[in-house]
C-alpha cells in the first residue's frame, strides 16, 4: 500500500459585500450557482479535495465571511494560518475596486505576506466599470495574480483556487532535502 500525502491549504475570501465571495466559494467547491446557502453572518468554510496523482492530495479549505458585518473577535481566527487570499471585487461596481487597497492592507496586517489573487467577478454581466488593464496593473503592483471570473458561468473559477492547491508542492521543492 502506498501512503498518499495529504496537505491542507487554507484560502480566505475577502472583499466588499455582494461582490460574489460566497458564490465563488460555492461554485468552486460544489460546482453550482445559487442554492440554499445561508447568508454568511460569521465565518463559513467550504472544502474541496484536489488529487495530484503520485504527489498527494490537497484539501482546500475556503473560508468565507460577510465583509462589512465581520466582527472583530473573529478576525484573527479568520486570517490565522491562511496560505492564500482571494480578494474579490465586482467588475460592474467601481467602488468595490476602489476599496481593494483597504482589503490588501487588511490581509497583510493579519496574515502577513501571503500569495494573493485579485478577482474581478461577474464577468458575465454588461456594464463593466473597471478596465482589465487597470485591474491587471493594480494586481501587478501588489504582487498578486489577476483573474476575471463568473460564478454564474464558472469561467476561470477553478484557476483562482487551484493556484493555491499547488503551494504545498512548491514549498517542498524549496525545502532542504531530507537526509
Ligand atoms: P458576497 O458573498 O460577496 O456578499 P454573494 O456575494 O456571493 O452573496 O453574491 C451577491 C449577489 O451577486 C448574489 O445575487 C449573487 O447571485 C450575485 N452573483 C455572484 N456572483 C455572480 C456572477 O458571477 N455573475 C452574476 N451575474 N451574479 C453574481 P442576489 O441577487 O442573490 O443578491
Ligand atoms: Mg457572502
Amino acid at each position: 500500500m502506498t501512503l498518499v500525502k495529504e496537505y491542507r491549504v487554507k484560502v480566505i475570501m475577502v472583499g466588499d459585500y455582494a461582490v460574489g465571495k460566497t458564490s465563488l466559494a460555492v461554485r468552486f467547491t460544489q460546482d453550482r450557482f445559487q442554492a440554499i446557502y445561508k447568508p454568511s453572518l460569521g465565518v463559513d468554510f467550504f472544502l474541496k479535495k484536489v488529487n495530484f496523482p503520485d504527489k498527494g492530495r490537497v484539501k482546500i479549505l475556503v473560508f468565507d465571511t460577510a465583509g462589512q458585518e465581520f466582527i472583530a473577535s473573529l478576525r484573527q481566527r479568520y486570517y490565522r494560518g491562511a496560505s492564500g487570499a482571494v480578494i474579490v471585487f465586482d467588475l460592474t461596481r467601481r467602488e468595490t475596486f476602489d476599496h481593494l487597497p483597504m482589503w490588501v492592507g487588511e490581509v497583510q496586517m493579519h496574515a502577513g505576506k501571503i500569495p494573493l489573487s485579485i478577482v474581478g467577478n461577474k464577468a458575465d454581466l454588461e456594464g463593466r466599470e473597471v478596465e482589465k488593464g487597470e485591474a491587471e496593473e493594480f494586481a501587478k503592483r501588489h504582487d498578486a495574480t489577476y483573474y476575471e471570473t463568473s460564478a454564474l458561468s464558472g469561467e476561470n473559477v477553478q484557476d483562482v483556487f487551484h493556484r493555491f492547491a499547488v503551494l504545498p508542492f512548491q514549498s517542498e521543492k524549496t525545502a532542504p532535502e531530507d537526509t
Side-chain angles (χ1 to χ4, degrees):
M1 191 180 83
T2 41
L3 280 175
V4 178
K5 282 192 187 171
E6 187 164 277
Y7 300 91
R8 282 176 106 189
V9 166
K10 172 177 172 178
V11 177
I12 52 176
M13 310 292 295
V14 296
D16 282 6
Y17 177 67
V19 294
K21 299 179 297 295
T22 304
S23 301
L24 287 166
V26 168
R27 166 61 75 189
F28 172 60
T29 55
Q30 298 165 27
D31 200 22
R32 62 187 170 84
F33 180 70
Q34 270 181 355
I36 33 148
Y37 54 82
K38 51 189 183 322
S40 27
L41 293 174
V43 173
D44 268 333
F45 71 89
F46 300 88
L47 177 70
K48 178 145 179 182
K49 289 183 186 174
V50 181
N51 281 308
F52 292 86
D54 306 327
K55 284 207 256 181
R57 187 161 40 217
V58 181
K59 262 190 193 171
I60 305 181
L61 291 162
V62 182
F63 276 60
D64 177 41
T65 181
Q68 261 83 344
E69 307 91 289
F70 203 6
I71 59 167
S73 62
L74 285 178
R75 198 167 295 233
Q76 272 204 318
R77 193 148 34 115
Y78 191 67
Y79 287 103
R80 192 185 303 138
S83 315
V86 179
I87 306 181
V88 188
F89 71 98
D90 179 342
L91 287 165
T92 68
R93 279 191 299 138
R94 174 81 205 182
E95 74 271 19
T96 66
F97 176 76
D98 293 337
H99 294 157
L100 290 184
M102 190 274 286
W103 287 115
V104 171
E106 164 106 2
V107 170
Q108 287 177 343
M109 181 162 64
H110 292 100
K113 212 170 157 20
I114 55 174
L116 304 178
S117 289
I118 307 284
V119 173
N121 186 42
K122 308 196 187 181
D124 59 281
L125 293 180
E126 304 276 314
R128 165 195 277 268
E129 292 184 355
V130 181
E131 288 313 314
K132 191 171 186 180
E134 188 182 5
E136 280 172 343
E137 198 178 295
F138 177 87
K140 200 170 163 192
R141 254 202 328 269
H142 291 89
D143 239 345
T145 309
Y146 180 61
Y147 300 89
E148 291 195 346
T149 60
S150 167
L152 176 64
S153 73
E155 179 193 344
N156 290 340
V157 175
Q158 297 260 345
D159 293 350
V160 169
F161 294 95
H162 278 182
R163 169 171 180 237
F164 299 115
V166 300
L167 289 175
F169 306 113
Q170 285 170 349
S171 58
E172 265 192 349
K173 262 185 237 153
T174 54
E177 294 272 336
D178 285 345
T179 46

